[in-house]
Amino acid sequence: MTAANSLPDPPSQDKVNLAIAELVLYAVLFIPVIWITWKHGKAGMTCWPIFVSYFPLKFVSDAYQIAKRNEPEIPNVVIIMTSAGSIACLSLTIIGMIYEVNMILPLPPKRWVEKIILGVTHLAVTAGITLSTYGGAPKAGAPGGVLSQTLNQVGTCLILFVMLFGVGWWLWSTGRRVMGMKTHPNFQVASNLHLAACAAFPFQLVRLGYALTYSFTPYSSLDPFSGTFATRLVLMFGMQMIVAIVVTVGGWFSIGAVPNSPPGDRSQEFSNLTESRL
């Protein structure tokens, strides 16, 4: 009886209603995202399929919370994995958007640099998510209430560091390239896609910053599973929904890129465009 009484309460009705609203909103967004993914084709392979995979994670997470609304609000594998996957998908989607912008514009001679940046950022984000998910797994009686507070903190720091400095720098440098290609037929498409990545970027940073804050100061009100409704509404649902909407709108208005020159001709195309502006 004592053990039963020590269990946390079921989620509040506000949290259940939020899960229902989230499920409906993502279902509405999912349809155009499928079409956007198809229209972007090969150029968007590092971005839009990852974004598509974000939606099933949210569907499973929300449906599970709704189905278990009368049970104690205890962290479980489903919620932990879908939460980590959601953060990873949105982070990798923004990275993929930047890469696509570079792919639909003439590339400079050292075009392999873009692929290296893509690979390094993907690897770092994946490693950070893995560390934070494993280290942040709940464990009763452990410091901070998690399996390994150190791994959790290292993982969240790694993700935020890579996104803030690595991806932030790439976003800035790509913006400079876009503005230097105003005569290129893909300028408007690339500009719209880059603008969407810029708009989504700070909201994803806030979401990552919240995860980092909680890893160092695990106050009960900030708990991503059993914290306050305000925490879930603003720092989790709000940030991720804004990113998803901005990315969807950006994807919609960046359809129609003209195929670039064959890889062997891109260096020459870049040189010709550079000379024409001098």
Side-chain angles (χ1 to χ4, degrees):
M1 183 66 68
T2 303
N5 291 336
S6 64
L7 292 175
D9 295 328
S12 65
Q13 188 60 44
D14 287 336
K15 290 183 179 180
V16 175
N17 291 339
L18 181 62
I20 295 173
E22 188 175 46
L23 185 61
V24 172
L25 290 173
Y26 279 123
V28 172
L29 280 179
F30 187 59
I31 298 173
V33 167
I34 292 293
W35 186 77
I36 291 169
T37 302
W38 176 66
K39 295 297 289 183
H40 275 256
K42 185 178 180 180
M45 286 300 292
T46 60
C47 171
W48 302 105
I50 296 175
F51 188 46
V52 168
S53 66
Y54 167 75
F55 289 85
L57 292 173
K58 299 305 297 181
F59 293 155
V60 171
S61 175
D62 292 330
Y64 186 87
Q65 292 180 63
I66 295 169
K68 301 292 184 178
R69 61 185 179 275
N70 295 321
E71 298 184 9
E73 196 172 30
I74 302 175
N76 54 76
V77 175
V78 174
I79 300 300
I80 292 173
M81 296 305 294
T82 54
S83 177
S86 298
I87 295 175
C89 284
L90 291 184
S91 298
L92 296 178
T93 294
I94 294 174
I95 293 172
M97 292 170 73
I98 304 172
Y99 183 76
E100 183 180 355
V101 171
N102 284 282
M103 290 300 101
I104 62 178
L105 291 176
L107 291 173
K110 295 182 179 180
R111 54 184 176 271
W112 48 266
V113 172
E114 310 298 331
K115 295 183 179 180
I116 292 177
I117 296 175
L118 178 71
V120 170
T121 51
H122 270 235
L123 180 62
V125 169
T126 303
I129 285 292
T130 302
L131 290 174
S132 62
T133 302
Y134 175 77
K139 183 179 181 181
V146 295
L147 186 64
S148 174
Q149 201 168 21
T150 301
L151 288 179
N152 186 25
Q153 293 168 352
V154 169
T156 52
C157 284
L158 177 60
I159 301 170
L160 187 59
F161 180 85
V162 170
M163 290 296 293
L164 181 59
F165 295 103
V167 178
W169 171 83
W170 198 20
L171 194 61
W172 170 78
S173 63
T174 299
R176 293 187 62 187
R177 287 199 59 235
V178 171
M179 296 311 296
M181 299 285 179
K182 292 184 179 180
T183 59
H184 193 273
N186 285 340
F187 167 73
Q188 191 59 56
V189 170
S191 180
N192 291 342
L193 190 58
H194 180 263
L195 181 62
C198 289
F201 185 66
F203 294 102
Q204 183 66 3
L205 288 183
V206 172
R207 177 65 180 87
L208 295 174
Y210 155 65
L212 178 65
T213 301
Y214 181 71
S215 69
F216 282 92
T217 55
Y219 298 127
S220 58
S221 60
L222 294 178
D223 192 297
F225 307 108
S226 59
T228 63
F229 173 72
T231 295
R232 184 170 296 187
L233 174 65
V234 177
L235 297 177
M236 298 178 68
F237 166 80
M239 295 301 105
Q240 294 186 157
M241 180 59 71
I242 291 174
V243 172
I245 292 174
V246 169
V247 169
T248 303
V249 172
W252 184 279
F253 285 100
S254 58
I255 291 173
V258 178
N260 231 330
S261 300
D265 298 336
R266 283 179 176 172
S267 298
Q268 184 62 40
E269 181 181 359
F270 178 79
S271 300
N272 292 340
L273 284 173
T274 303
E275 292 173 1
S276 67
R277 294 198 303 272
L278 296 177

